[in-house]
Amino acid sequence: MSQEHMKIPQATAKRLPLYYRFLKNLSVSGKQRVSSAELAEAVKVDSATIRRDFSYFGALGKKGYGYNVNYLLTFFAKTLSQDETTPVALIGVGNLGTAFLHYNFTKNNNTMIQLAFDVDPGKIGTEIADVPIYHINDIKKELATREIDVAILTVPVGAAQPIADDLAAAGIKGILNFTPARLTLPPHIRVHHIDLAVELQSLVYFMKQYPVNEESK
Ligand code: ATP
């Protein structure tokens, strides 16, 4: 099956990194095959969904054998572009941004923050975890000399839209937005939004309103 022309459903695509991480651990521990039931237990996705997901990749489990771990790993690595490192820019080196600079993304996936931007004169010109920090006004200039398509946004909410506009002008194609701002951008730019405060509040709400009883787990 051609990698280029294969379109998998978005819900399946979202689960790929999860599968990839688990299979990588299995492979490291020397395991060569895995059943959909084992996978289901480990990644908390039901086994029917796993079998359907895997059928999109042409990976058909054999009864009594399961799936070949290395076949799946090779497939996922290619699909998730693990054979190449994706460079990322980070905008806003505050508490959250600094944590991301220290976080080792390459441990589980091949993305790497290559440079960062801020307005704080105390941060500009310094490095955190070997990542250089530039002035936000130099964003277009610095991005023009590098092939970076992805940016992480960890600035205060009020700064988010103008910076997103600059990122769009600089040719960025994907933004992971950690600010509460709802960004307006050209349709060719993909924005994934993670509002940690909202996620936490939602968890607390659901815990209260929809308690999970042990049997239905
Ligand atoms: P800190 O404690 O370092 O201020 P924080 O996460 O609580 O961190 P925020 O006010 O959310 O602080 O700001 C996050 C980071 O974004 C800070 O480092 C700040 O200097 C930076 N920042 C603020 N405005 C801009 C801007 N327009 N462009 C780039 N970076 C900005």
Side-chain angles (χ1 to χ4, degrees):
M1 203 177 323
S2 152
Q3 295 274 335
E4 284 78 23
H5 297 108
M6 188 191 52
K7 264 259 185 245
I8 54 177
Q10 290 198 14
T12 300
K14 280 202 161 176
R15 288 188 283 269
L16 287 190
L18 201 65
Y19 295 145
Y20 179 71
R21 183 188 299 201
F22 177 68
L23 288 164
K24 215 167 148 196
N25 290 339
L26 278 188
S27 169
V28 167
S29 66
K31 215 161 175 298
Q32 281 165 16
R33 54 193 200 177
V34 64
S35 68
S36 50
E38 277 174 282
L39 264 164
E41 175 58 27
V43 298
K44 304 285 180 226
V45 173
D46 67 275
S47 54
T49 304
I50 290 181
R51 282 195 294 274
R52 200 183 52 235
D53 283 351
F54 283 17
S55 70
Y56 292 118
F57 332 134
L60 301 170
K62 288 193 210 98
K63 243 195 169 4
Y65 178 89
Y67 295 93
N68 181 302
V69 171
N70 282 331
Y71 172 87
L72 286 171
L73 259 187
T74 312
F75 178 86
F76 289 156
K78 218 164 170 18
T79 310
L80 294 165
S81 302
Q82 292 296 306
D83 43 355
E84 59 196 59
T85 301
T86 304
V88 176
L90 178 121
I91 329 293
V93 191
N95 289 312
L96 192 54
T98 302
F100 289 152
L101 292 182
H102 287 293
Y103 184 73
N104 182 9
F105 286 96
T106 51
K107 207 164 48 177
N108 289 310
N109 66 59
N110 265 5
T111 51
M112 188 184 252
I113 299 175
Q114 209 170 75
L115 78 172
F117 296 91
D118 208 289
V119 276
D120 184 342
K123 294 173 184 168
I124 292 152
T126 66
E127 285 188 357
I128 294 181
D130 291 333
V131 178
I133 303 167
Y134 297 94
H135 196 287
I136 189 73
N137 290 350
D138 293 333
I139 199 163
K140 282 186 202 156
K141 187 181 92 190
E142 293 299 334
L143 291 181
T145 58
R146 295 172 171 85
E147 286 201 11
I148 297 188
D149 291 337
V150 186
I152 299 176
L153 206 51
T154 44
V155 291
V157 59
Q161 185 62 56
I163 291 175
D165 293 339
D166 284 347
L167 287 169
I172 287 284
K173 298 190 184 75
I175 298 176
L176 191 55
N177 175 21
F178 280 91
T179 81
R182 294 283 162 176
L183 303 173
T184 308
L185 285 160
H188 70 273
I189 298 179
R190 179 171 273 276
V191 180
H192 282 200
H193 192 210
I194 303 177
D195 187 325
L196 293 175
V198 167
E199 292 297 330
L200 202 53
Q201 199 178 20
S202 156
L203 172 67
V204 172
Y205 173 81
F206 273 81
M207 284 163 68
K208 280 201 191 121
Q209 299 299 320
Y210 306 98
V212 186
N213 66 41
E214 280 304 311
E215 286 104 73
S216 67
K217 250 187 177 175

